[in-house]
Amino acid sequence: MTSQELFEQIRSKRSFLCVGLDTDLKKVPQHLLAGDDPIFEFNKAIIDATAPYCVSYKPNLAFYEAAGTKGWNALVKTVKYLRGHYPGQFIIADAKRGDIGNTSQMYARVFFQEMDFDAVTLSPYMGSDTAEPFYSYAGKWAVLLALTSNASARDFETLKLENGEMLYERVLRTSMDWGTEDNTMYVVGATQAAQLGSVRAIVPDHFLLVPGVGAQGGSLEEVARYGMNKRCGLLVNSSRGIIYASGGRDFAEAAAGAAAQLQSQMSMLLQKAGL
């Protein structure tokens, strides 16, 4: 999927919502736990309920790896279900990988060739050779960590270098040469909305994956104000605020309601931006 194709999905659905599938067995409704595959059944219900309101899904791999082989199998089934029933959805593996070249080749193979994700999140801090294998797959994306929403991001990401720029700004400027706006996206946390302007000054045309709206307290309006570009250029992720909107039998309906509410706000923001 190219950036233009992603924008066309956004414009068609009047939404730039990414639903985070951070599926925790401890939070799955009790009535699903008796089944053979409660993680997948939960995901399937969430997907069916929220697909009309979003353009992307982002499984966080830690939640599946924590459940061992059952969790990994549920992840495989989730991706296959999305591909079979909602082929227009942009699927991101939130894996935050980043290792030496031969190891990265294996990561790229499993996420892009074996599992057919559209994109994978990567840590860029070991340099370009850790990302190169992911760029060898046509139509696939590298999503590079830039300025994250966690409180201790300031430990490294906002350190000032000798020339006065911050470390995350160096990451943006350097990694722009690794790929293009059709295969490189950047993670910028919603709680860092005020700094989205400086991010946009460096990468005006790239898509940004923005977590932190909802449960983490980020403002959707501020994200749009500082981060939106002429093709929207945003995928705003909400995880807990949608998938755990209810812990009862109505969990899917509650998720649909939460996603619909965000989609409605996004539609108004797109309209305001003339998109």
Side-chain angles (χ1 to χ4, degrees):
M1 185 180 291
T2 66
S3 59
Q4 181 60 31
E5 289 169 338
L6 183 53
F7 174 48
E8 288 169 1
Q9 288 283 340
I10 289 169
R11 190 160 51 182
S12 172
K13 300 183 87 170
R14 311 305 299 162
S15 173
F16 45 97
L17 176 61
C18 173
V19 175
L21 296 174
D22 299 2
T23 306
D24 184 347
L25 269 175
K26 294 180 180 179
K27 296 181 179 179
V28 168
Q30 201 69 25
H31 71 280
L32 294 179
L33 296 179
D36 293 333
D37 196 344
I39 294 175
F40 173 68
E41 291 303 325
F42 178 82
N43 284 356
K44 179 177 177 293
I46 292 290
I47 290 165
D48 289 339
T50 60
Y53 310 109
C54 68
V55 295
S56 179
Y57 287 94
K58 182 176 68 65
N60 185 321
L61 266 66
F63 290 88
Y64 301 88
E65 292 168 341
T69 55
K70 288 184 177 180
W72 191 264
N73 289 337
L75 176 64
V76 171
K77 288 166 66 175
T78 297
V79 175
K80 286 183 177 179
Y81 186 76
L82 281 165
R83 286 284 176 239
H85 293 81
Y86 304 99
Q89 294 285 347
F90 188 79
I91 314 173
I92 303 168
D94 192 358
K96 299 180 180 70
R97 299 299 195 252
D99 209 332
I100 59 174
N102 61 340
T103 307
S104 285
Q105 288 175 13
M106 298 299 105
Y107 284 138
R109 181 188 299 177
V110 69
F111 293 127
F112 291 157
Q113 187 173 312
E114 299 298 327
M115 299 185 72
D116 199 21
F117 280 98
D118 290 297
V120 58
T121 58
L122 305 175
S123 172
Y125 286 93
M126 284 179 64
S128 61
D129 61 336
T130 69
E132 284 172 3
F134 297 90
Y135 288 114
S136 66
Y137 289 84
K140 304 296 187 179
W141 291 66
V143 185
L144 303 175
L145 299 178
L147 185 61
T148 55
S149 57
N150 57 305
S152 57
R154 65 177 68 93
D155 287 351
F156 300 113
E157 293 171 12
T158 58
L159 288 178
K160 281 200 172 183
L161 305 179
E162 289 183 358
N163 66 353
E165 70 179 342
M166 293 186 183
L167 181 56
Y168 81 88
E169 294 174 323
R170 174 70 63 84
V171 168
L172 291 169
R173 291 190 176 97
T174 301
S175 61
M176 282 178 68
D177 294 332
W178 300 354
T180 70
E181 65 187 61
D182 282 321
N183 63 14
T184 306
M185 194 177 297
Y186 293 97
V187 176
V188 181
T191 56
Q192 308 281 8
Q195 290 177 281
L196 274 167
S198 64
V199 171
R200 271 289 174 233
I202 301 170
V203 288
D205 299 320
H206 287 71
F207 263 86
L208 306 178
L209 174 63
V210 184
V213 166
Q216 293 185 49
S219 165
L220 179 60
E221 289 75 16
E222 286 193 358
V223 167
R225 182 186 312 137
Y226 295 111
M228 194 174 283
N229 64 15
K230 62 186 177 182
R231 291 193 298 178
C232 181
L234 296 170
L235 287 180
V236 171
N237 181 80
S238 179
S239 301
R240 287 170 286 172
I242 292 177
I243 67 173
Y244 301 132
S246 170
R249 290 183 176 271
D250 66 338
F251 74 96
E253 292 84 354
Q261 185 175 12
L262 277 173
Q263 184 273 333
S264 178
Q265 295 175 42
M266 290 176 175
S267 179
M268 289 188 289
L269 291 168
L270 288 167
Q271 183 178 5
K272 184 178 179 180
L275 301 174

